[in-house]
Amino acid sequence: MVPLSRQQISLNGTWQFAPQLETAAGNAAAAVALDRSGFAQTGYTAGTGRVVIGETELGRVLPNDLSWRPSVVPGCCQAQFEDLRHFQGVSWYRRVFNVPADWQGRAVRLRFGAVDYYCEVWLNGRFVGSHEGGYTPFAFEVSEFLVYGAKRDGQDEGENVLIVRVIDPTDDASHYPEFPLGEIPHGKQSWYGPISGIWQDVTLEATAWTRIEGIRVTPKVELASATVEIDVRSVGEPSADACSADRTADLNGGRAPSPSMSLDIEVQAPSGRVFRSSLPMRIVIAGNYKTDISFVNPELWTLADPQLYTIVVRLLDGDGQVLDVASDRFGMRQFQAKNGRFYLNGEPVYLKGLLDQDYYADGIVCPAAGQGERVWRDQFQKAKAMGFNLLRCHMKVPDPRYLELADEMGLLVWVELPNVSRLTDASKGRIRSTLEAMLQRDWNHPSLVIRSIINENWGTDLVNDPSHRQWLQKMVRWLRQADPSRLVVDNSACPPNFHVETDIEDFHFYCSIPDHVQQWDERVREFAGRAAWTYSPYGDSVRRGNEPLVVSEFGNWGLPDVRRLRAGYGGQDPWWFESGADWAKGAVQPKNVQVRVAEYGLEQVFGSYEELVRQSQWNEFLSLKYEIESIRLQPSIAGYVITELTDVHWESNGLLDMWRNPKVFHGLLPLINADTVIVPRPDRYNAWSGEDVHVAVWLAFASREAAAQARNRGLQLEWYLEGAGVTSPPAFLAVAGGGDPPGAGVIQAGNLTFPAPSVASPAKYRLLLRLLDRAGEVLAENFLDLQSFARETAQDQAAGASQAGASQRSVWVVPRMDEPVLEHLRRGGTALVVAEDEEAVPGDWGRRLGWPRLVRRQGTVRAGDWANNLNWIRVEGNLEDLRGVGPQVPGQLGKPEVPAGSEESVPAAEAAVPGFAMDFAFQPVISDLVIDGVRSAQFSDVLSGMFVGWVHQPAAYAYQFRLGAGRAILTTLRLQATDPMARTLLQGWTAYLASGRCQPSTVLPDPGA
């Protein structure tokens, strides 16, 4: 908040900017050691240029080869200049401004919100000071350096010239020995590219010489009071060249400083009530004053009603005259971790969070100039509309206005320190100083409730170095003591790293869904049982056993609509499409994505690139739905954090794209992200017509107390089926009442049993569920997509049981390619090769003849557990009956529709799709074994396949080809299973081969020729 009695001049806007391109990585050590008067030391060779500033010469500090260009402050140079996307090194800023004449005689400070990373400042040719640290604010007293007065008769009487030199270091210690990149807090710059320069606000502020430097309010909700700490500083008398001696008496509003002063404290509650207090004090160079203020019936800051108090502190002289005024806002809130749960003001709260990397399509490290409040408010509104109550600002210190809006809108914030890469004495000191600056800046924000020191062991070696574990434990204890009002996470962990001492036991899991649902469920169950692997195994950790459990990172990919991205970049590909080549063996690089889609024939599979995007996003939603439901089934887990709020450059697991456009499932997220969630778990997703389907239904409430309250209202579950040609009448299941629910509010509503709809061909249908109280109020809704298959005949069953060498209509169904199969194909036969291992096709065939190879996905990028894979199947021409199990169009329960605002971006699917993404209907057949080495020209013969990330690492699950006079399909899908999908694929491809419709264009060489 801006102090009330002070005057400010914003220096935001257009500055002159110059990268020191030719010496960006050179002479940095000498540059740091400049003579602070503004002149170069002897031997400095960066240039011989001469820049006149007022009547003072800056001299050789400025190189002579600078080429000035306009640049907007705040903002990083990488976002503003195409030629500087990856710039690191030395850059210069220059700004000319005027200061009002009536500021003369006042204390004036130059304030920077943040400059990345190290900067030196000259004003009118004189050195002002330097600052190290890329994410936190700093200020310089500049009264004695300024020229006062505005333009008069066209003459600049008060023109000031500000020069800022910025060093954004690389990790080359020979160039940056004082602060190599690996030893400074830099966060995700090692992932998404460097940021540098003046990226937050710059202001000039006039105050009294004795002023209020800071206000810190610590709420004590349980005592209906708050502790107020006020920092008062005297910044000295004006120098002789700043004002004349006869103006000294006017320094503080026309009165000289009194030896006796006081602080008047006024707190205005949201309702308008005013509370006052007064503190006597003595004028000193530095002083910190503390008092408690009691409130009658405090108005609490909550998620639903984020009430904010305003505190105004006035500094008075001995005669009661106001010398200085400062103000801020705070909230009366208490955030605690007790008995494995979170509590806000004593009320249980289930954390439903989003990772927010705080990156932006236009400004990278911050929104474009002037757009911050609009962008933050918009994304916060969308997060809340999707049911989230927390943002985990990831490895980056957010702009203060980010936190101010979170305060206003009722969102919890979990902040993290930007990481270093190496833990040295120097980096330890920088971590500590950065945390201290974060504490000082953000103390009064009620939204800020959790702080992390380390993420995923980045910058430490907790696994192998006991001294790192000891250091981290000391940091946790220091931070707890420094700010007892917030929770501390030591290391937000993932395998193989762990916790040493923490207030929250959190862990990260990533799984490809539906491929690895068993692996996901096993991890979540182990975590919920407080698995030993979450803490240090070396006997040096402190584990109370009641820390809240949080799955703090998980998520899945859904590709963004390239057209909407390009619209924000003037019709061109985003510049960051070039990035990502160094990650996941290039599988995450966006460049030429549509070229690859066309090259691999995926437009023919999905009908269009836009339909591929829509199904990719729908798969993201179905994956998240399953994962969230699994977490909510575990009563010991107290919350989760999804990766992530927005896509970030090549990382496409956001719920919004980089421009904050919603993805197609936006309107459905509240169903599974609510305080009360219906969790249906079927015994099978696929069933034969008329076969009984059993669905266990669980109810997950935000807390044990919420569950008890709901049961006291009387609960019943309404359900019905829709799709596959039927709409069943609603049925009701009474939920047993009485008694306290177990755990943290997870109760079993009951079991549903119903016959799969009668169908002539496979069809998808939807189980719709609503939880009602006895008054008919809807407490929760959810749905479950299932598939019904036409019941097998005896002939079908016999065909499905075919063994190697057996034939049905001359089609052999065999487990491997061997000489009898080759001879069968040479004679014009047909074969369906259902491979069970890598040896189903001899490996030397690939080396000798260029045959595709059978390889495992596990342990490779294709496993899809981080940059996710998308599995697909082509049904046109070979599996026509499977059209009915294609993905549903996302929409509200029984009424599928694309959310408002998304229609133009991602159109709904056509009724007859050539192919589609393989969802939970295909989970029983999805394999770890894939067919590798199919050339792009042969992809028209791939009947089922997969890709990773931005359509990289393509592979086949089913591949048709010719050999001799015969035709064959090689598949790694698990068609040996008895699941209806496996049987349908087996019979469908057998019939396809037998019908003569199988006409591959690919001819593979005969290994025996």
Side-chain angles (χ1 to χ4, degrees):
M1 300 293 289
V2 177
L4 299 179
S5 67
R6 306 173 184 187
Q7 291 178 282
Q8 287 188 341
I9 296 174
S10 173
L11 297 184
N12 293 347
T14 301
W15 290 50
Q16 289 179 294
F17 168 81
Q20 193 172 321
L21 295 175
E22 294 183 7
T23 56
N27 295 315
V32 171
L34 291 177
D35 183 340
R36 299 314 188 188
S37 68
F39 291 90
Q41 291 181 337
T42 303
Y44 180 63
T45 58
T48 57
R50 183 173 180 273
V51 178
V52 176
I53 303 174
E55 297 179 355
T56 306
E57 182 178 288
L58 186 61
R60 295 183 180 86
V61 172
L62 279 170
N64 63 355
D65 55 353
L66 292 181
S67 177
W68 296 100
R69 58 178 88 177
S71 175
V72 175
V73 170
C76 65
C77 67
Q78 289 82 357
Q80 299 183 47
F81 305 106
E82 290 186 11
D83 62 321
L84 301 179
R85 296 297 189 201
H86 306 287
F87 174 77
Q88 289 176 279
V90 178
S91 58
W92 298 83
Y93 288 83
R94 184 175 186 269
R95 173 69 191 260
V96 178
F97 62 93
N98 295 92
V99 177
D102 59 7
W103 280 27
Q104 190 166 2
R106 304 182 71 187
V108 182
R109 57 182 167 179
L110 177 63
R111 305 178 66 170
F112 292 85
V115 177
D116 193 23
Y117 169 72
Y118 175 85
C119 73
E120 297 169 309
V121 179
W122 289 265
L123 186 55
N124 295 328
R126 299 172 62 191
F127 182 73
V128 171
S130 62
H131 178 265
E132 181 184 346
Y135 293 90
T136 51
F138 57 96
F140 303 111
E141 301 296 331
V142 295
S143 305
E144 63 179 292
F145 303 103
L146 290 169
V147 177
Y148 299 88
K151 288 187 177 182
R152 185 177 302 166
D153 299 328
Q155 300 298 313
D156 287 331
E157 295 186 356
E159 185 175 88
N160 295 270
V161 178
L162 177 64
I163 297 287
V164 180
R165 180 176 184 267
V166 179
I167 299 178
D168 184 39
T170 67
D171 209 20
D172 188 337
S174 66
H175 293 151
Y176 302 98
E178 294 192 35
F179 30 73
L181 181 69
E183 296 182 28
I184 68 174
H186 59 266
K188 283 296 190 76
Q189 295 185 52
S190 58
W191 280 52
Y192 304 121
I195 55 172
S196 59
I198 307 173
W199 68 276
Q200 287 191 24
D201 295 340
V202 184
T203 55
L204 203 64
E205 182 180 53
T207 70
W209 290 97
T210 301
R211 64 177 176 240
I212 300 160
E213 200 72 22
I215 304 169
R216 197 157 80 171
V217 183
T218 305
K220 299 177 180 178
V221 170
E222 71 282 8
L223 301 176
S225 68
T227 297
V228 178
E229 298 175 81
I230 303 165
D231 187 21
V232 178
R233 292 287 183 271
S234 178
V235 295
E237 300 294 330
S239 62
D241 61 349
C243 62
S244 59
D246 60 358
R247 291 186 53 83
T248 304
D250 294 328
L251 296 181
N252 291 307
R255 309 181 69 83
S258 167
S260 177
M261 292 184 174
S262 64
L263 290 167
D264 177 73
I265 304 168
E266 176 182 294
V267 177
Q268 182 171 332
S271 62
R273 293 181 300 162
V274 175
F275 304 87
R276 286 190 169 86
S277 181
S278 182
L279 280 173
M281 54 174 287
R282 296 283 297 178
I283 179 65
V284 290
I285 296 300
N288 186 270
Y289 299 86
K290 181 186 295 187
T291 188
D292 285 341
I293 297 181
S294 297
F295 304 107
V296 179
N297 299 320
E299 299 164 50
L300 301 182
W301 187 91
T302 68
L303 297 175
D305 191 17
Q307 298 291 336
L308 292 172
Y309 285 72
T310 299
I311 182 169
V312 179
V313 179
R314 295 176 177 86
L315 176 64
L316 309 176
D317 69 7
D319 297 327
Q321 297 296 310
V322 176
L323 302 179
D324 192 28
V325 181
S327 69
D328 206 347
R329 296 188 303 182
F330 67 94
M332 289 295 291
R333 71 103 179 95
Q334 179 188 57
F335 190 78
Q336 297 172 295
K338 298 186 301 183
N339 301 318
R341 316 305 297 176
F342 296 103
Y343 292 85
L344 180 61
N345 306 325
E347 297 294 326
V349 58
Y350 192 95
L351 294 191
K352 296 171 293 180
L354 280 169
L355 194 80
D356 181 13
Q357 303 210 48
D358 201 22
Y359 269 66
Y360 303 89
D362 44 12
I364 306 178
V365 72
C366 58
Q371 298 298 309
E373 181 171 346
R374 179 193 63 79
V375 170
W376 290 318
R377 187 178 296 277
D378 173 69
Q379 71 179 26
F380 291 175
Q381 287 172 340
K382 287 172 179 170
K384 293 199 73 170
M386 289 185 286
F388 295 95
N389 58 22
L390 175 139
L391 294 176
R392 179 179 162 215
C393 194
H394 188 46
M395 304 179 75
K396 181 172 177 284
V397 183
D399 188 290
R401 289 167 295 183
Y402 180 108
L403 295 173
E404 289 175 9
L405 279 171
D407 294 343
E408 291 178 12
M409 299 175 69
L411 272 171
L412 302 174
V413 178
W414 174 347
V415 299
E416 297 178 333
L417 183 79
N419 72 289
V420 300
S421 298
R422 297 185 296 276
L423 196 63
T424 63
D425 288 343
S427 62
K428 288 177 183 177
R430 293 183 179 109
I431 288 172
R432 174 72 174 258
S433 62
T434 302
L435 281 169
E436 288 173 340
M438 293 167 68
L439 287 171
Q440 180 178 352
R441 193 196 74 171
D442 299 331
W443 188 276
N444 294 335
H445 292 291
S447 58
L448 200 166
V449 293
I450 304 168
R451 290 191 179 95
S452 287
I453 301 172
I454 300 296
N455 174 76
E456 293 187 347
N457 200 27
W458 290 18
T460 56
D461 186 5
L462 301 176
V463 177
N464 299 302
D465 194 329
S467 69
H468 288 200
R469 300 194 292 271
Q470 294 163 8
W471 168 82
L472 184 56
Q473 195 169 70
K474 290 178 182 178
M475 287 296 297
V476 168
R477 295 173 181 179
W478 166 78
L479 189 52
R480 281 177 179 158
Q481 184 176 16
D483 184 3
S485 68
R486 293 177 172 97
L487 303 180
V488 178
V489 174
D490 56 345
N491 168 51
S492 193
C494 71
N497 54 79
F498 40 69
H499 293 285
V500 293
E501 184 171 347
T502 183
D503 293 331
I504 300 173
E505 186 176 338
D506 72 317
F507 227 78
H508 307 170
F509 309 128
Y510 289 96
C511 274
S512 175
I513 304 292
D515 305 39
H516 300 149
V517 290
Q518 290 90 351
Q519 178 183 344
W520 170 262
D521 286 339
E522 181 181 350
R523 286 183 181 178
V524 171
R525 281 193 299 268
E526 288 183 8
F527 178 67
R530 296 192 181 274
W533 40 257
T534 62
Y535 273 79
S536 168
Y538 300 107
D540 52 0
S541 63
V542 176
R543 185 180 198 178
R544 300 188 305 273
N546 63 353
E547 298 89 344
L549 295 168
V550 176
V551 182
S552 53
E553 281 191 34
F554 68 100
N556 305 88
W557 279 44
L559 292 176
D561 181 4
V562 171
R563 293 179 306 170
R564 299 194 98 179
L565 294 179
R566 288 177 180 144
Y569 289 97
Q572 303 299 312
D573 276 352
W575 62 268
W576 45 263
F577 265 32
E578 300 279 349
S579 66
D582 296 334
W583 299 97
K585 296 187 176 180
V588 297
Q589 187 175 39
K591 183 180 179 181
N592 294 328
V593 59
Q594 288 178 284
V595 173
R596 287 189 296 279
V597 168
E599 183 180 2
Y600 299 132
L602 294 177
E603 287 181 338
Q604 286 69 47
V605 173
F606 290 92
S608 66
Y609 171 78
E610 290 72 28
E611 178 59 18
L612 182 154
V613 167
R614 187 192 72 84
Q615 292 195 31
S616 171
Q617 294 181 9
W618 183 235
N619 188 72
E620 178 183 7
F621 170 74
L622 293 177
S623 302
L624 287 172
K625 180 178 185 294
Y626 186 90
E627 290 166 327
I628 292 172
E629 290 171 350
S630 295
I631 292 170
R632 295 300 296 269
L633 279 176
Q634 301 297 329
S636 62
I637 296 179
Y640 55 81
V641 179
I642 295 172
T643 307
E644 53 195 321
L645 174 60
T646 73
D647 294 341
V648 181
H649 295 186
W650 44 263
E651 197 167 324
S652 297
N653 43 18
L655 306 186
L656 312 172
D657 70 17
M658 278 289 284
W659 288 107
R660 277 54 180 172
N661 296 308
K663 294 184 179 178
V664 297
F665 50 78
H666 186 73
L668 285 178
L669 270 172
L671 298 178
I672 54 168
N673 202 39
D675 283 344
T676 301
V677 177
I678 304 169
V679 181
R681 280 293 182 259
D683 64 340
R684 69 193 76 184
Y685 287 90
N686 305 322
W688 301 112
S689 291
E691 187 176 21
D692 279 348
V693 178
H694 304 282
V695 180
V697 180
W698 300 80
L699 306 178
F701 296 87
S703 66
R704 180 189 184 108
E705 294 82 356
Q709 292 170 7
R711 293 179 80 167
N712 290 336
R713 295 167 62 179
L715 299 176
Q716 62 177 348
L717 189 71
E718 178 190 39
W719 62 276
Y720 64 98
L721 305 178
E722 185 169 273
V726 300
T727 299
S728 68
F732 294 89
L733 175 69
V735 179
D740 289 335
V746 178
I747 62 176
Q748 187 168 11
N751 293 288
L752 309 180
T753 300
F754 50 84
S758 178
V759 295
S761 61
K764 189 180 293 291
Y765 65 101
R766 184 167 281 183
L767 169 65
L768 296 115
L769 305 127
R770 295 201 305 169
L771 182 65
L772 311 172
D773 66 9
R774 67 170 60 94
E777 181 181 348
V778 178
L779 305 181
E781 296 179 278
N782 205 350
F783 68 93
L784 178 67
D785 285 339
L786 302 165
Q787 288 70 226
S788 184
F789 291 75
R791 184 173 288 277
E792 282 188 308
T793 66
Q795 182 181 5
D796 292 331
Q797 292 172 358
S802 298
Q803 301 298 317
S807 66
Q808 186 226 0
R809 299 179 185 175
S810 77
V811 178
W812 284 19
V813 180
V814 296
R816 61 188 62 251
M817 294 292 299
D818 54 19
E819 183 56 34
V821 176
L822 291 174
E823 183 59 29
H824 175 65
L825 294 176
R826 291 177 189 128
R827 295 197 306 265
T830 55
L832 176 60
V833 183
V834 184
E836 299 180 24
D837 55 49
E838 297 95 320
E839 298 307 314
V841 174
D844 68 320
W845 292 8
R847 292 188 294 273
R848 290 192 297 112
L849 305 170
W851 270 61
R853 299 177 302 117
L854 302 185
V855 298
R856 295 284 176 186
R857 294 166 53 198
Q858 185 177 7
T860 73
V861 171
R862 287 193 177 116
D865 288 330
W866 177 59
N868 289 152
N869 60 292
L870 188 73
N871 306 316
W872 55 267
I873 191 164
R874 190 192 308 268
V875 298
E876 188 172 66
N878 69 108
L879 294 169
E880 300 285 352
D881 282 353
L882 275 182
R883 290 187 189 278
V885 299
Q888 294 281 353
V889 178
Q892 298 297 332
L893 300 185
K895 298 179 180 177
E897 59 185 21
V898 176
S902 299
E903 295 90 340
E904 181 181 350
S905 169
V906 186
E910 297 294 333
V913 291
F916 45 77
M918 298 160 68
D919 60 11
F920 279 84
F922 293 85
Q923 193 276 331
V925 302
I926 294 172
S927 175
D928 182 57
L929 193 65
V930 294
I931 305 166
D932 185 37
V934 179
R935 295 191 296 273
S936 59
Q938 300 170 337
F939 253 79
S940 60
D941 284 323
V942 175
L943 304 180
S944 178
M946 55 88 69
F947 61 80
V948 179
W950 286 81
V951 196
H952 290 280
Q953 297 280 327
Y957 288 122
Y959 177 48
Q960 63 180 9
F961 60 90
R962 294 178 182 271
L963 189 146
R967 290 161 287 119
I969 296 175
L970 171 65
T971 181
T972 59
L973 295 176
R974 297 183 297 182
L975 305 190
Q976 306 88 348
T978 58
D979 181 86
M981 179 62 75
R983 307 292 280 221
T984 300
L985 291 172
L986 181 64
Q987 294 159 18
W989 278 329
T990 302
Y992 172 60
L993 284 162
S995 70
R997 289 181 292 120
C998 178
Q999 297 296 327
S1001 59
T1002 300
V1003 178
L1004 292 181
D1006 187 337

